[in-house]
Amino acid sequence: MKWNEFKALLVGIGPDTPLGRIVSIRSENDEDVLKYFTADQNRIRNEWKNRRVKTQISKADQTQMLEQIKKAFISMAGGILD
């Protein structure tokens, strides 16, 4: 299945479906709603948040990576940009 076809199918997913409920749990930010979440809802939301945190790179790491890439390009250019 192509990505565009998959996206088109997801557009019609309503909040009353299992996938729709999971998406709404993961994206909920209203403190008044969150305080009434069940243990399972909190588990689903926390697992999602923890997975997203692991995939994000800190600004310091980004800066360090970009500096290393810059040095590699300078080195490949024979150091003419020093």
Side-chain angles (χ1 to χ4, degrees):
M1 177 182 303
K2 299 219 183 265
W3 176 248
N4 286 337
E5 182 182 356
F6 180 72
K7 286 191 326 185
L9 291 171
L10 283 181
V11 169
I13 298 288
D16 56 336
T17 63
L19 180 58
R21 286 191 291 274
I22 296 282
V23 170
S24 68
I25 289 169
R26 289 176 173 177
S27 62
E28 186 59 62
N29 288 320
D30 185 344
E31 291 296 325
D32 292 331
V33 174
L34 292 173
K35 67 183 174 185
Y36 294 107
F37 265 17
T38 65
D40 281 337
Q41 289 171 315
N42 279 316
R43 179 187 52 78
I44 291 167
R45 186 166 184 273
N46 290 335
E47 285 174 359
W48 175 251
K49 286 174 57 176
N50 289 337
R51 184 178 345 179
R52 294 201 31 115
V53 166
K54 289 178 186 175
T55 60
Q56 294 177 351
I57 300 172
S58 72
K59 286 287 185 193
D61 288 342
Q62 286 177 358
T63 302
Q64 182 182 10
M65 245 187 279
L66 289 173
E67 190 60 33
Q68 290 172 350
I69 292 169
K70 176 182 159 186
K71 288 178 181 178
F73 277 112
I74 291 171
S75 175
M76 288 188 301
I80 60 174
L81 299 177
D82 276 338

